[in-house]
């Protein structure tokens, strides 16, 4: 059984979804610290002039060391997101005229917990792309808090009974292949992604899902760690 583990992001770029295409189980890694300036709660979409601009989810102030699972959206998040979407013409047009499009509906379907919202948008995008791994959260696995980094990943994989771990290419510098091999787990990596880095929210609204699926699958060749 092949598993992938990754932080949840706000409609990430197409390369992220290769993990859902390649894995039998995808674990939302929400038991780690919430990054203030990362891509968990924000992404870039084209503005009026075509240049990318930041679209940020309205989150409540949280403790510095808060985990992703502990972060919440503001109570008026949907209204604030409509206001912020006005700076991005394609998204604004979709919300006004294509509100039943699954990606547009998911964008405004806010939940109190940030992880709930990100899981919803992840599932909607994966379904549109035709990827159907089992999706669960690391916070539901009761992994001991003392375990960090590689040891935490290994504990998650063992809790799942996984015998293969598919990882983004950046993981090559993070993991020791021998440590995985000693646990009977095959460590695999996706190649560098060569496609656009545009948010999947924008691409689902503007492109056919079939072409996006073909693009993702065409750049999904797995290589085993040496």
């Amino acid at each position: 059984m092949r598993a992938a583990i990754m932080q949840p992001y706000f409609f990430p770029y197409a390369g992220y979804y290769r993990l859902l295409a390649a894995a039998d189980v995808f674990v939302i890694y929400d038991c780690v610290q919430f990054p203030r300036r990362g891509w968990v709660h924000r992404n870039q979409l084209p503005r009026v002039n075509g240049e990318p601009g930041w679209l940020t989810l309205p989150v409540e102030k949280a403790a510095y060391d808060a985990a992703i699972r502990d972060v919440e959206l503001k109570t008026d998040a949907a209204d604030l997101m409509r206001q912020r979407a006005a700076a991005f013409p394609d998204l604004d047009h979709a919300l006004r005229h294509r509100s039943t499009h699954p990606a547009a509906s998911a964008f405004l379907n806010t939940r109190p917990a940030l992880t709930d919202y990100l899981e919803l948008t992840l599932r909607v995008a994966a379904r549109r792309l035709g990827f159907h791994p089992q999706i669960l959260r690391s916070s539901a696995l009761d992994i001991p808090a003392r375990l960090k980094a590689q040891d935490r990943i290994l504990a998650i994989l063992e809790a799942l009974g996984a015998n293969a771990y598919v990882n983004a290419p950046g993981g090559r510098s993070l993991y020791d292949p021998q440590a995985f091999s000693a646990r009977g787990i095959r460590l695999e990596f996706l190649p560098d992604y060569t496609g656009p880095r545009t948010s999947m929210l924008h691409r689902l609204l503007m492109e056919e899902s079939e072409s996006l699926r073909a693009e993702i699958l065409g750049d999904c060749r797995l290589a085993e760690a040496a």
Side-chain angles (χ1 to χ4, degrees):
M1 186 261 280
R2 178 179 286 126
I5 305 169
M6 183 62 71
Q7 292 178 338
Y9 295 122
F10 174 44
F11 280 109
Y13 74 108
Y16 180 101
Y17 295 90
R18 297 181 300 169
L19 293 169
L20 287 97
D24 301 302
V25 178
F26 181 87
V27 180
I28 296 173
Y29 200 33
D30 67 336
C31 60
V32 292
Q33 186 174 1
F34 171 67
R36 293 299 188 278
R37 294 185 176 273
W39 298 81
V40 170
H41 69 306
R42 62 181 190 161
N43 211 319
Q44 291 187 327
L45 278 73
R47 292 185 178 274
V48 174
N49 61 4
E51 293 297 317
W54 287 106
L55 175 59
T56 303
L57 294 174
V59 298
E60 296 284 4
K61 186 175 181 179
Y64 176 78
D65 59 350
I68 295 172
R69 67 185 175 204
D70 299 323
V71 177
E72 295 187 346
L73 292 174
K74 292 182 179 294
T75 54
D76 57 346
D79 291 336
L80 291 171
M81 288 159 63
R82 281 189 181 276
Q83 295 172 20
R84 296 177 184 185
F88 308 93
D90 295 326
L91 175 59
D92 186 53
H93 180 272
L95 295 178
R96 293 176 185 274
H97 304 287
R98 303 177 63 201
S99 59
T100 59
H101 187 288
S105 297
F107 172 71
L108 291 178
N109 194 354
T110 59
R111 311 294 174 88
L114 175 62
T115 301
D116 288 346
Y117 175 78
L118 295 177
E119 180 176 342
L120 169 70
T121 56
L122 178 69
R123 288 181 179 276
V124 168
R127 188 161 56 246
R128 291 289 292 178
L129 296 168
F131 305 140
H132 303 284
Q134 179 185 1
I135 297 175
L136 50 84
R137 303 182 190 183
S138 62
S139 58
L141 298 175
D142 294 326
I143 303 301
R146 60 181 171 77
L147 296 178
K148 307 295 182 183
Q150 176 175 280
D151 290 335
R152 192 166 191 81
I153 295 294
L154 284 166
I156 291 173
L157 294 169
E158 290 185 330
L160 296 174
N163 57 17
Y165 174 40
V166 57
N167 193 29
R172 289 185 180 276
S173 62
L174 301 176
Y175 301 124
D176 175 12
Q178 293 184 347
F180 285 80
S181 179
R183 306 279 189 98
I185 300 172
R186 188 168 64 254
L187 183 59
E188 300 174 331
F189 294 95
L190 292 164
D192 291 334
Y193 188 67
T194 58
R197 297 275 170 164
T198 311
S199 168
M200 185 55 70
L201 173 59
H202 183 263
R203 297 194 69 184
L204 283 172
L205 292 172
M206 304 302 294
E207 302 176 39
E208 294 294 330
S209 56
E210 292 80 3
S211 63
L212 288 170
R213 173 182 168 84
E215 174 190 316
I216 293 167
L217 291 176
D219 207 353
C220 201
R221 303 171 304 279
L222 290 172
E224 189 170 350

